[in-house]
Amino acid sequence: MSLFTMLSDPKPRNPLHTRTVTFQGYAREDGLWDIEGHLVDIKSHPFVTGSKTWEPGQAIHDMWIRITVDDHLTIQDIEVAMDSHPHPECPEVIPPMDGLIGARIGKGWRKTIETHLGGTKGCTHLRELLNNMATAAYQSIPGALFDDDESKPPLYLGTCKSWDFDGPVVMRVYPQFYQWKK
């Protein structure tokens, strides 16, 4: 099997829905970090929600979140924008997002999101963005996945096949943590 593969050619089909999600991380001049998430949903056919008809290619959801974090991944600020949403009530979920200020991205992040914004307190699409903003933060902030205690392994070890404590990558890259047990 080739290391560089693509999906096979599909059977004949018609496009229905496209979701585009992007994440970007920024180093700020004040020493903090901004992580932005953007979600856009479009249909390739007319789509009706309530009394509104969305034309093909028109964004049904166009939503943004910016979280500002410190070096410890503690949320210092959050901003949310809904450029497009299907119902007039949708923006009512924006004020409760401030409840995440002071929360820390890390172990228990998904539970934190669910506690503050779960169910009817929040928006499914914004929760999806928040869930994955943690990964974007880890990818953006140098050292975010390292413990201050150098005798402890980076936080990503033991989280996937490549970073298996008993695997060849850890043996090669972090031999001091090869076959490490808590």
Side-chain angles (χ1 to χ4, degrees):
M1 176 180 225
S2 170
L3 291 177
F4 302 101
T5 61
M6 296 179 62
L7 294 174
S8 63
D9 289 335
K11 303 291 184 213
R13 60 192 184 167
N14 294 314
L16 300 174
H17 176 84
T18 300
R19 171 168 285 179
T20 305
V21 179
T22 57
F23 297 98
Q24 293 183 284
Y26 301 91
R28 293 173 29 148
E29 291 181 2
D30 62 2
L32 298 175
W33 311 88
D34 281 341
I35 309 300
E36 292 182 357
H38 183 208
L39 179 147
V40 178
D41 281 330
I42 61 170
K43 302 282 187 196
S44 54
H45 53 85
F47 186 74
V48 178
T49 58
S51 61
K52 181 165 182 169
T53 299
W54 304 85
E55 297 303 321
Q58 185 179 10
I60 297 166
H61 297 111
D62 189 350
M63 302 177 172
W64 299 81
I65 301 175
R66 177 186 303 131
I67 55 174
T68 301
V69 298
D70 62 17
D71 289 337
H72 302 287
L73 299 177
T74 301
I75 297 175
Q76 304 297 308
D77 197 13
I78 188 165
E79 184 177 343
V80 180
M82 290 184 170
D83 294 340
S84 187
H85 47 83
H87 306 287
E89 294 81 8
C90 290
E92 293 175 11
V93 302
I94 294 174
M97 299 284 284
D98 285 347
L100 292 175
I101 295 173
R104 185 175 180 281
I105 297 173
K107 187 173 175 77
W109 175 237
R110 289 178 188 262
K111 184 172 176 48
T112 298
I113 293 168
E114 191 61 28
T115 297
H116 291 280
L117 305 168
T120 60
K121 293 182 282 187
C123 165
T124 300
H125 310 297
L126 295 178
R127 285 192 299 268
E128 288 178 19
L129 277 175
L130 284 166
N131 283 332
N132 293 298
M133 289 178 87
T135 303
Y138 295 146
Q139 293 287 332
S140 298
I141 301 170
L145 289 171
F146 291 88
D147 196 298
D148 291 336
D149 181 349
E150 291 183 10
S151 69
K152 293 182 180 176
L155 299 174
Y156 53 88
L157 297 191
T159 62
C160 74
K161 178 66 176 167
S162 290
W163 291 116
D164 180 352
F165 284 107
D166 298 326
V169 176
V170 172
M171 184 173 66
R172 195 169 54 248
V173 179
Y174 293 105
Q176 70 274 32
F177 298 119
Y178 179 64
Q179 297 185 325
W180 186 81
K181 304 290 183 232
K182 288 184 180 181

